[in-house]
């Protein structure tokens, strides 16, 4: 994605952050599975957000808000994988703080203005780093993003798509055969992860 577009203060109304724009950022997403398909899942999920009008923006501040929804998708994958493996949920651990991370690629001025606009500056101790502020926004966007995923995909298909991120050959959207493969044998981990989705994916 061109950084000039992020900083352009005269953007036309109704602009869209398209999948092609954010593919470089998606590739910076930390992976839970060494040979998984999380990147393809994120591409699919971005299409869901597009269908729910969550990828459009009116100004540079809203553009950063849209980009933070990619961080929210990253946190969704991490929270789900933690639940599915019995680990302690650490969604913030998926956001990344390195030089290539999504968070530090954001326009920090617009990010700061967004946090003020949302009124959530103190949600995580008022941290001033880009990663800290982006985490605030990613958490703020959680209900809207997960609500869109559940609305469009349904709980069963959303669960199946997230469970299948551990496999390298998964393609999205999942067909019925792939959903049957996910169902397979039941387990406590699967039951816990599915229940989390049906309960609204709470953090």
């Amino acid at each position: 994605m061109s950084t000039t577009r992020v900083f352009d203060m005269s953007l036309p109304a109704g602009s869209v952050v398209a999948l092609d724009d954010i593919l470089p950022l998606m590739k910076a997403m930390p992976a839970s599975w060494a040979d998984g398909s999380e990147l393809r899942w994120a591409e699919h999920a971005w299409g869901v957000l597009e269908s729910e009008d969550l990828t459009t923006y009116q100004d540079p501040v809203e553009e950063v808000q849209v980009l933070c929804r990619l961080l929210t998708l990253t946190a969704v994958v991490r929270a789900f994988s933690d639940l599915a493996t019995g680990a302690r949920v650490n969604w913030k651990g998926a956001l990344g703080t390195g030089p290539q991370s999504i968070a530090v690629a954001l326009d920090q001025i617009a990010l700061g203005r967004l946090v003020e606009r949302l009124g959530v500056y103190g949600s995580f101790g008022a941290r001033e780093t880009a990663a800290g502020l982006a985490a605030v926004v990613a958490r703020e966007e959680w209900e809207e993003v997960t609500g869109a995923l559940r609305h469009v995909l349904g709980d069963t298909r959303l669960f199946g798509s997230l469970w299948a991120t551990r496999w390298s050959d998964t393609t999205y959207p999942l067909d019925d055969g792939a959903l049957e493969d996910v169902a397979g044998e039941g387990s406590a981990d699967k039951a816990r992860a599915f229940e989390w989705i049906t309960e609204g994916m709470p953090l």
Side-chain angles (χ1 to χ4, degrees), residues 134-153:
V136 172
V137 179
R139 177 62 181 85
E140 183 71 10
E141 296 298 312
W142 181 267
E143 289 186 10
E144 185 139 40
V145 169
T146 57
L149 294 173
R150 295 183 69 210
H151 175 255
V152 174
L153 300 178

Side-chain angles (χ1 to χ4, degrees), residues 62-84:
E62 286 187 2
E63 183 181 20
V64 170
Q65 184 174 16
V66 170
L67 293 173
C68 282
R69 290 173 185 149
L70 177 57
L71 282 169
T72 305
L73 292 179
T74 304
V76 166
V77 175
R78 175 60 176 268
F80 181 88
S81 65
D82 285 348
L83 281 163

Side-chain angles (χ1 to χ4, degrees), residues 39-189:
L39 177 59
R40 289 196 300 279
W41 181 86
E43 293 174 1
H44 172 56
W46 196 256
V48 171
L49 298 190
E50 286 183 329
S51 72
E52 293 292 280
D53 197 32
L54 293 178
T55 62
T56 60
Y57 60 93
Q58 302 294 325
D59 58 41
V61 176
E62 286 187 2
E63 183 181 20
V64 170
Q65 184 174 16
V66 170
L67 293 173
C68 282
R69 290 173 185 149
L70 177 57
L71 282 169
T72 305
L73 292 179
T74 304
V76 166
V77 175
R78 175 60 176 268
F80 181 88
S81 65
D82 285 348
L83 281 163
T85 56
R88 176 177 172 273
V89 173
N90 178 27
W91 63 270
K92 286 184 284 184
L95 301 186
T97 58
Q100 302 302 317
S101 72
I102 298 169
V104 300
L106 302 174
D107 174 1
Q108 293 189 50
I109 294 175
L111 178 59
R113 289 174 58 199
L114 173 61
V115 170
E116 292 178 356
R117 182 181 293 183
L118 295 175
V120 293
Y121 189 80
S123 297
F124 283 89
R127 289 175 294 187
E128 296 180 359
T129 65
L133 293 179
V136 172
V137 179
R139 177 62 181 85
E140 183 71 10
E141 296 298 312
W142 181 267
E143 289 186 10
E144 185 139 40
V145 169
T146 57
L149 294 173
R150 295 183 69 210
H151 175 255
V152 174
L153 300 178
D155 290 344
T156 299
R157 198 165 293 273
L158 174 58
F159 166 80
S161 69
L162 284 166
W163 189 271
T165 58
R166 64 190 64 208
W167 300 318
S168 62
D169 59 351
T170 304
T171 58
Y172 301 93
L174 295 186
D175 58 26
D176 291 340
L179 280 175
E180 291 176 5
D181 290 341
V182 169
E185 296 183 1
S187 69
D189 290 340

Side-chain angles (χ1 to χ4, degrees), residues 8-56:
D8 184 358
M9 302 302 286
S10 59
L11 295 167
S15 298
V16 177
V17 178
L19 177 61
D20 287 345
D21 297 327
I22 59 167
L23 280 175
L25 294 180
M26 281 187 172
K27 292 176 182 177
M29 292 172 59
S32 296
W33 313 110
D35 298 314
S37 56
E38 291 149 310
L39 177 59
R40 289 196 300 279
W41 181 86
E43 293 174 1
H44 172 56
W46 196 256
V48 171
L49 298 190
E50 286 183 329
S51 72
E52 293 292 280
D53 197 32
L54 293 178
T55 62
T56 60

